[in-house]
Amino acid sequence: MNLSFHIARRYLFAKKSHNAINIISMISVFGIALATTALVCVLSVFNGFTGVVSQTFSAFDPELQITPAQGKVFNPANPQIGEVKKIDEIAFTSETLEENALLKNGDRQEPIILKGVSKKFENIANIDKLIIDGRFLLREDASGTAGSMEPDSLTEWHIDNGVIGAGLAMFLGVRANFVDPVEIYVPKRNVRVNPANPSTAFDRGSVFISGVFALNQAKYDDQMMIVSIDLARELLRYETEVSSIDIKLKNAAEADKVQAKIKSILGNDYLVKNRFEQQEDLFRMVSIEKWVTFLILAIILVIAVFNIVGSLTILIIEKNEDIRILKNLGADNKLILKVFLFEGCLITFVGTIAGIILGLIICLLQQHFGLLQLGSTPGTFVMDAYPVVVEPLDVLLIFVTVSLISLLAVVYPVNNLRKRL
């Protein structure tokens, strides 16, 4: 084996009388290295985008969320939910009520997602860091005299505010602390619509815009308005119902353990989702794009690997005299086959390792210097340069894939030589 490897190494690296063989072998190495580099860089970029999406949504979505398995809403006052709230690992919970609605400002109107939240939502979402205009204030309570009533006759009243996404605010032409409120229209539940007067099918409310948030995600910035859960219940004609219970943990690293514990308490009547499961469609889409791209590049790799077949075939033809000399010196067919098998393995190994090293270097440079920009204007996107995260398992998968495809290509010319011998 050592003699076969030594001869194969000299064929690849030592000077030969025919430079064409050198060039063809180096082209094979370069082709494999280029395909491997592309695989490392592309998978790392997809990992980077996944990380960016995860970090972006973690600022808004709860660590765990309880939703009904069937229907839109449920009553949070049942004993099972109460037992969940007593779990030691839970810091606190927040109630949420979501529904589709119509938001109107003057002659501008837009369908929205109306999100009613309780007071603890501010701590779960860390919303203050996302406010770009105004402040997070949903309901102001105050005391005052009621019209011309006696001075000592007081009544409680409140002002409803809303926090709106930046894209939605731009479309409607509103901003924080506007003097005029915006109007919310919500379909009445369990009411038949009168075709002659369809406006009676809606409950109407008005809120002042207290703040504008930006998450750089169209799902939120262009569609969502946050109000107090009390106002949402009034508009939707609910009493205590919620669409979800958001959970903040004392230690985020225990999310999987607490999720399993909550599932065991609630059973099949409720869904308990972590952050990734709350955005399952988006993460599935990113994952599918990643592996489809990997498959396409693997097909390109197969085409590049045909260079190995060509270079080994030409090398075998060119080394007919060497084969005859080795046989005269007593070499058996097995040793001769190993020479060219090792030759193909060396081309594969050198190209794969060189490609992985080059890919890692490019990823490192991209991480530190942002060589490849997302756009010509800084600040247009969430990040200015393509994000890159190298996963060791991806590198191992690339090494195994490239090696297997390349070694399968080596078998063909070596098998032809075996038949000749």
Side-chain angles (χ1 to χ4, degrees):
M1 181 180 292
N2 291 335
L3 178 61
S4 303
F5 182 80
H6 177 71
I7 297 173
R9 183 175 59 82
R10 287 188 60 81
Y11 280 168
L12 183 62
F13 296 111
K15 294 182 179 179
K16 307 180 181 72
S17 57
H18 297 82
N19 290 331
I21 302 299
N22 275 329
I23 294 172
I24 292 174
S25 298
M26 288 302 105
I27 289 175
S28 301
V29 171
F30 178 76
I32 294 174
L34 188 62
T36 305
T37 300
L39 284 170
V40 172
C41 293
V42 169
L43 293 191
S44 297
V45 168
F46 274 104
N47 292 335
F49 277 119
T50 301
V52 169
V53 171
S54 176
Q55 292 173 5
T56 302
F57 284 122
S58 67
F60 203 82
D61 294 334
E63 291 164 354
L64 292 174
Q65 185 180 69
I66 301 174
T67 58
Q70 294 181 344
K72 287 186 175 182
V73 297
F74 64 96
N75 189 348
N78 67 63
Q80 290 175 307
I81 298 297
E83 187 176 350
V84 168
K85 293 180 179 180
K86 296 178 182 178
I87 295 177
D88 293 335
E89 291 87 351
I90 294 178
F92 50 82
T93 62
S94 173
E95 297 179 349
T96 299
L97 181 60
E98 282 190 17
E99 187 54 89
N100 295 323
L102 181 71
L103 193 62
K104 184 178 179 182
N105 178 46
D107 58 350
R108 298 185 182 184
Q109 58 186 26
E110 182 72 7
I112 64 166
I113 298 174
L114 184 68
K115 185 180 182 74
V117 299
S118 59
K119 294 181 179 180
K120 294 290 182 67
F121 173 80
E122 185 175 0
N123 298 323
I124 285 183
N126 203 9
I127 190 72
D128 287 338
K129 291 185 178 180
L130 305 176
I131 297 294
I132 60 172
D133 184 23
R135 57 176 178 156
F136 186 79
L137 179 64
L138 301 183
R139 174 165 279 193
E140 298 177 89
D141 293 317
S143 298
T145 59
S148 59
M149 297 174 62
E150 296 295 328
D152 58 345
S153 177
L154 301 178
T155 183
E156 293 293 331
W157 58 277
H158 58 260
I159 300 174
D160 285 308
N161 298 315
V163 178
I164 195 172
L168 186 57
M170 184 179 297
F171 179 81
L172 293 175
V174 298
R175 59 168 299 168
N177 301 319
F178 258 26
V179 176
D180 296 326
V182 294
E183 297 178 340
I184 303 174
Y185 292 88
V186 178
K188 293 180 180 178
R189 294 190 308 111
N190 304 322
V191 174
R192 296 184 64 180
V193 178
N194 182 5
N197 188 13
S199 61
T200 58
F202 294 89
D203 282 323
R204 174 184 165 187
S206 61
V207 295
F208 293 91
I209 304 299
S210 63
V212 177
F213 69 84
L215 194 58
N216 295 313
Q217 296 293 331
K219 175 182 176 181
Y220 299 104
D221 294 350
D222 297 347
Q223 301 180 37
M224 183 166 287
M225 181 178 193
I226 304 174
V227 298
S228 70
I229 195 169
D230 296 323
L231 175 61
R233 283 173 176 155
E234 291 171 10
L235 292 173
L236 297 170
R237 300 188 179 187
Y238 285 121
E239 296 181 0
T240 60
E241 290 85 350
V242 299
S243 56
S244 69
I245 293 180
D246 303 335
I247 297 174
K248 176 73 173 179
L249 301 177
K250 296 177 181 177
N251 184 2
E254 298 179 336
D256 292 339
K257 183 182 75 173
V258 178
Q259 182 183 17
K261 188 181 294 186
I262 295 174
K263 285 182 177 180
S264 65
I265 295 174
L266 297 180
N268 297 326
D269 294 334
Y270 300 90
L271 301 177
V272 185
K273 301 178 181 180
N274 57 31
R275 280 180 174 143
F276 285 91
E277 291 169 339
Q278 292 168 45
Q279 302 296 337
E280 185 177 3
D281 293 340
L282 179 61
F283 283 108
R284 185 188 293 115
M285 180 187 67
V286 173
S287 179
I288 291 174
E289 289 179 349
K290 173 181 175 180
W291 296 117
V292 168
T293 305
F294 176 83
L295 180 61
I296 294 172
L297 291 177
I299 294 173
I300 297 174
L301 173 66
V302 171
I303 298 173
V305 159
F306 278 108
N307 286 324
I308 299 179
V309 178
S311 63
L312 274 182
T313 302
I314 296 175
L315 182 64
I316 290 171
I317 295 172
E318 196 267 339
K319 295 301 179 182
N320 275 333
E321 184 65 24
D322 290 8
I323 294 173
R324 187 163 50 253
I325 292 173
L326 286 172
K327 289 180 73 67
N328 291 335
L329 291 174
D332 57 8
N333 292 342
K334 187 176 181 180
L335 185 144
I336 295 172
L337 290 174
K338 284 183 177 179
V339 169
F340 294 99
L341 183 61
F342 282 132
E343 175 79 5
C345 291
L346 280 174
I347 293 174
T348 298
F349 182 78
V350 172
T352 305
I353 295 300
I356 289 176
I357 293 174
L358 180 59
L360 293 177
I361 291 174
I362 293 174
C363 290
L364 186 64
L365 293 174
Q366 178 68 17
Q367 284 179 339
H368 287 83
F369 301 105
L371 302 178
L372 190 60
Q373 299 290 316
L374 278 168
S376 58
T377 305
T380 305
F381 301 97
V382 180
M383 74 292 294
D384 294 329
Y386 279 92
V388 173
V389 175
V390 178
E391 294 286 350
L393 287 178
D394 286 347
V395 175
L396 179 61
L397 176 63
I398 291 170
F399 178 81
V400 172
T401 302
V402 175
S403 299
L404 286 176
I405 294 175
S406 302
L407 291 178
L408 288 175
V410 170
V411 171
Y412 177 75
V414 173
N415 187 53
N416 284 341
L417 176 61
R418 181 185 61 80
K419 292 178 181 179
R420 286 173 50 196
L421 294 175

